[in-house]
Amino acid sequence: MRAESSAIAPTPIAVSIPETPGRGTGTLLAALGVTAFSLTFPATAWGLEGFGPWSLVAVRSVLAALIAGACLLALRVAPPERRHWAGLAVVAAGVVVGFPMLTTLALRTSTTAHAAVVVGLLPLTTALFSALRMGTRPSRTFWTAALAGAAAVVAFTVRQSGGALTSADLYLFAALLVCAAGYTEGGRLARVMPGWQVIGWALVLCLPLALPAAALALSYEPVQLTGHSVAGVLWVAAGSQFLGLVVWYRGMAAIGIPRASQLQLAQPLLTLVWSVLLLGEHLTVAAPLTAAAVLVCIAVTQRARG
């Protein structure tokens, strides 16, 4: 009987930890994420040409959740462990709901150049959240370069907007805080599970709320389907909300949250370039000077030892 019981005993299944890419690959992945994010504000501006702000946010969440859910089902990914759901809720609240909603509301009255001030401050805020949440202690050189880069980006974006503070600033600063919290928690989870599953499950977690929200918003806000509005919604859903976050969280897991966050110093400048090409906004001659300053700061932070 003992031999028979032994023969039919189930074989233990090994739990594999996601393999972390090298530093070079991680930096590339994080940079691809930044590039995807840099198109978010111009794509949102396109989307607002045909959708109301609440409809745009709800529809993008539904579409991104359906894409993520299809990938999770196709690959038969098991649900995360119970201990990870609280962190996924933080990611969902900050990255899936909070940041898109607040920035979309801000972009109703703000230009993409003015809104880019949020992204300029996001690397520093993310590093601060990381220090508080994960106990990281970057060096003084790291912090000096990060503050200098943030200051350069803030000065440039404020100058681009004429130095005026609008009511949209409250939305933008609130978006800054919730997004930094979501990035930090997502980067932490990406160390124990694949980054695409982090954002995938966070999106699926929001689907039960996003579906009725989309139905309600679409019933109240008129929709005009144009080439720009459709392309904008598709990009913010598939590009910014899913694919961009997949490579971003993977990159953060490889090179660390503070260093990855500093790559976002280049994001406002990329956004301004897209704003010129896609929206026809005017770009001043200060852009190349700011770009050079930001690239120097990024180089310093990438080499600084925490």
Side-chain angles (χ1 to χ4, degrees), residues 138-167:
S139 65
R140 290 183 180 179
T141 302
F142 179 96
W143 285 115
T144 301
L147 288 170
V153 172
V154 169
F156 176 65
T157 52
V158 169
R159 180 179 178 181
Q160 284 293 105
S161 64
L165 295 179
T166 67
S167 60

Side-chain angles (χ1 to χ4, degrees), residues 105-166:
L105 291 173
L107 285 171
R108 292 181 304 166
T109 57
S110 174
T111 65
T112 56
H114 187 78
V117 69
V118 174
V119 184
L121 294 174
L122 188 56
L124 178 60
T125 311
T126 303
L128 289 172
F129 269 77
S130 174
L132 294 173
R133 178 69 176 88
M134 305 179 66
T136 57
R137 294 293 183 270
S139 65
R140 290 183 180 179
T141 302
F142 179 96
W143 285 115
T144 301
L147 288 170
V153 172
V154 169
F156 176 65
T157 52
V158 169
R159 180 179 178 181
Q160 284 293 105
S161 64
L165 295 179
T166 67

Side-chain angles (χ1 to χ4, degrees), residues 1 18 79 88 92 116 119 129 163 182 209 233 265:
M1 291 294 293
L88 290 171
V119 184
F129 269 77
L209 296 176
V233 170
L265 287 170

Side-chain angles (χ1 to χ4, degrees), residues 94 98-99 102-103 115-126 129 154 169-183 264:
F99 188 78
L102 292 167
T103 54
V117 69
V118 174
V119 184
L121 294 174
L122 188 56
L124 178 60
T125 311
T126 303
F129 269 77
V154 169
D169 289 325
L170 293 177
Y171 290 128
L172 295 174
F173 285 116
L176 170 70
L177 296 176
V178 298
C179 189
Y183 278 174
Q264 283 195 305

Side-chain angles (χ1 to χ4, degrees), residues 121-289:
L121 294 174
L122 188 56
L124 178 60
T125 311
T126 303
L128 289 172
F129 269 77
S130 174
L132 294 173
R133 178 69 176 88
M134 305 179 66
T136 57
R137 294 293 183 270
S139 65
R140 290 183 180 179
T141 302
F142 179 96
W143 285 115
T144 301
L147 288 170
V153 172
V154 169
F156 176 65
T157 52
V158 169
R159 180 179 178 181
Q160 284 293 105
S161 64
L165 295 179
T166 67
S167 60
D169 289 325
L170 293 177
Y171 290 128
L172 295 174
F173 285 116
L176 170 70
L177 296 176
V178 298
C179 189
Y183 278 174
T184 300
E185 198 64 22
R188 184 187 68 82
L189 289 173
R191 294 181 176 182
V192 296
M193 58 191 297
W196 77 273
Q197 292 183 25
V198 173
I199 186 58
W201 286 114
L203 286 166
V204 171
L205 187 64
C206 291
L207 188 58
L209 296 176
L211 278 172
L216 181 62
L218 289 172
S219 67
Y220 281 94
E221 293 179 338
V223 175
Q224 183 179 1
L225 297 181
T226 64
H228 278 182
S229 63
V230 172
V233 170
L234 290 178
W235 178 258
V236 293
S240 302
Q241 195 82 72
F242 183 63
L243 295 177
L245 287 169
V246 167
V247 294
W248 172 245
Y249 282 139
R250 185 67 167 159
M252 279 200 298
I255 64 177
I257 296 174
R259 286 193 176 92
S261 68
Q262 299 315 301
L263 292 175
Q264 283 195 305
L265 287 170
Q267 186 173 325
L269 302 175
L270 289 173
T271 297
L272 291 172
V273 172
W274 297 125
S275 298
V276 171
L277 297 178
L278 301 177
L279 303 177
E281 293 187 4
H282 177 66
L283 191 64
T284 67
V285 295
L289 297 178

Side-chain angles (χ1 to χ4, degrees), residues 21-100:
R23 182 169 177 175
T25 302
T27 300
L28 176 60
L29 291 173
L32 288 175
V34 169
T35 303
F37 300 152
S38 70
L39 282 160
T40 300
F41 286 169
T44 300
W46 273 8
L48 286 172
E49 293 180 12
F51 290 83
W54 298 102
S55 299
L56 178 59
V57 173
V59 168
R60 72 180 277 182
S61 296
V62 170
L63 292 177
L66 292 176
I67 295 172
C71 293
L72 292 169
L73 284 175
L75 297 176
R76 298 180 180 180
V77 177
E81 298 177 21
R82 182 178 299 180
R83 60 191 175 95
H84 295 321
W85 281 107
L88 290 171
V90 174
V91 176
V95 178
V96 178
V97 178
F99 188 78

